[in-house]
Amino acid sequence: MSKNKIIIVVWIFAVATSNAFAQLSDLPPISPIVQPLLLNGKEKEATKLAQQWINREELPAMDDEGKVIYLYGATLPSIVCSPLNVCDVELQPREIVRDLHVGDSIRWKISPAISGSEDNETTHLIIKPTDVGLSTTMVVTTDRRTYHMKLLSQQIDFVPRVSFNYPDELQQQWDIYHNKVTQQKMANTLQNTGEAINELDFEYEITGKASWKPVRVYNNGIKTIIQMPKTMSQSQAPALLVLGASGDEQLVNYRLKNDRYIVDQLFNKAILITGVGYDQERITITRR
């Protein structure tokens, strides 16, 4: 190679090198490596508790329709999706979405859908990732509650349908059940005593006239109870006479408790009497 050619090659190399350094000098400075923040005790405890909730071993279940069901609020549910497939997160019927936030809104596409009749519409969140190996979180606020979810994308594996069980809804169902049972029990029991009506015999006939005429007479198979009106005073309490088959009067044990005569046996006929002569008032009780 001649001396002139060598000089030209060296000149070209020098120019190229100079241009390269000039271009590098135009680039923004490289950011220094960011050191992790040092957390204090309170902050460490907060993150520790958050991780306990996120990683809590609260496994989902599946219903007959193939929906994977998480217990709302028990843990951070993971929604596993796949590109070219759709994940459907189903909310509670008639629940309305107020707002939605995704940590990675560029590579995750979230759109709404509605199913059901107008009176029972159900909102669905249709989730589609644009790539595999993605991980982010999503917060959905509604007119009833706030959902926190973790979104993951896999190449093949994905969960087509996700829904929730709600502890407050389950508690409402139990409350409705207990209220219904209580109302049925109240309808089938006597007030004040709590006796079950279906275990009592009310087949008694009450005849005669008196201001203190009994409200009802019944027995529980062992004792006979005569319920008097609440207006009856202790001074008006009539005497009780139980009549035998021949009409003879029999002595029986009984006591007056509040507005009830409690007779320690069953009888077929008895009379309640107050006063004497023309002032006498008499009520006859006959067991059918």
Side-chain angles (χ1 to χ4, degrees), residues 21-278:
F21 278 110
Q23 292 176 359
L24 288 175
S25 65
D26 293 335
L27 294 176
I30 298 175
S31 299
I33 298 176
V34 178
Q35 297 296 326
L37 292 175
L38 295 178
L39 303 180
N40 60 30
K42 176 180 65 176
E43 294 158 349
K44 289 180 180 179
E45 182 65 19
T47 58
K48 177 182 176 182
L49 294 174
Q51 287 299 316
Q52 289 178 2
W53 176 71
I54 291 172
N55 299 318
R56 184 179 294 166
E57 290 293 331
E58 187 71 34
L59 299 179
M62 186 177 71
D63 68 1
D64 295 336
E65 298 179 352
K67 287 187 291 189
V68 174
I69 302 175
Y70 283 96
L71 180 63
Y72 172 80
T75 185
L76 181 67
S78 295
I79 315 300
V80 182
C81 302
S82 174
L84 304 181
N85 291 297
V86 172
C87 284
D88 172 15
V89 177
E90 181 178 321
L91 305 186
Q92 197 175 26
R94 297 183 299 279
E95 188 172 13
I96 300 173
V97 173
R98 298 295 191 196
D99 208 348
L100 185 149
H101 297 276
V102 185
D104 183 356
S105 59
I106 302 299
R107 296 181 293 178
W108 289 88
K109 308 300 180 184
I110 318 293
S111 58
I114 296 177
S115 68
S117 62
E118 185 175 350
D119 295 334
N120 198 36
E121 289 183 346
T122 299
T123 297
H124 300 255
L125 304 178
I126 306 302
I127 305 174
K128 294 182 287 185
T130 60
D131 202 351
V132 298
L134 304 179
S135 176
T136 190
T137 55
M138 178 173 68
V139 176
V140 181
T141 59
T142 75
D143 60 342
R144 299 182 183 179
R145 58 183 61 87
T146 300
Y147 295 86
H148 295 263
M149 308 179 207
K150 183 178 182 180
L151 306 182
L152 302 168
S153 67
Q154 297 286 336
Q155 181 68 48
I156 298 175
D157 297 330
F158 75 105
V159 181
R161 305 179 67 189
V162 177
S163 66
F164 297 87
N165 273 335
Y166 303 95
D168 55 344
E169 185 180 51
L170 295 175
Q171 186 59 48
Q172 288 176 0
Q173 293 174 355
W174 279 110
D175 290 343
I176 292 172
Y177 166 77
H178 287 305
N179 289 336
K180 184 176 181 180
V181 170
T182 301
Q183 291 174 0
Q184 289 178 342
K185 185 176 180 180
M186 291 178 60
N188 293 318
T189 57
L190 294 179
Q191 294 182 357
N192 301 326
T193 67
E195 296 168 295
I197 292 177
N198 58 353
E199 298 176 359
L200 304 177
D201 178 10
F202 292 88
E203 294 299 318
Y204 289 86
E205 182 179 3
I206 305 173
T207 57
K209 293 182 179 181
S211 58
W212 41 261
K213 186 175 182 179
V215 176
R216 63 164 66 95
V217 180
Y218 59 91
N219 74 74
N220 58 12
I222 299 175
K223 299 179 180 182
T224 303
I225 295 90
I226 304 171
Q227 184 179 352
M228 306 299 285
K230 294 184 180 298
T231 56
M232 184 195 74
S233 64
Q234 290 290 336
S235 60
Q236 292 178 308
L240 173 66
L241 301 174
V242 173
L243 305 180
S246 60
D248 56 315
E249 299 177 359
Q250 299 177 351
L251 296 176
V252 295
N253 293 324
Y254 72 90
R255 59 192 177 278
L256 183 61
K257 183 177 181 181
N258 298 326
D259 61 345
R260 285 168 167 80
Y261 280 75
I262 301 176
V263 186
D264 293 332
Q265 70 176 55
L266 305 182
F267 59 78
N268 291 323
K269 193 170 185 177
I271 56 174
L272 292 167
I273 302 174
T274 60
V276 294
Y278 292 108

Side-chain angles (χ1 to χ4, degrees), residues 7-19:
I7 293 174
I8 293 172
V9 170
V10 172
W11 180 80
I12 293 173
F13 177 76
V15 172
T17 303
S18 176
N19 291 336

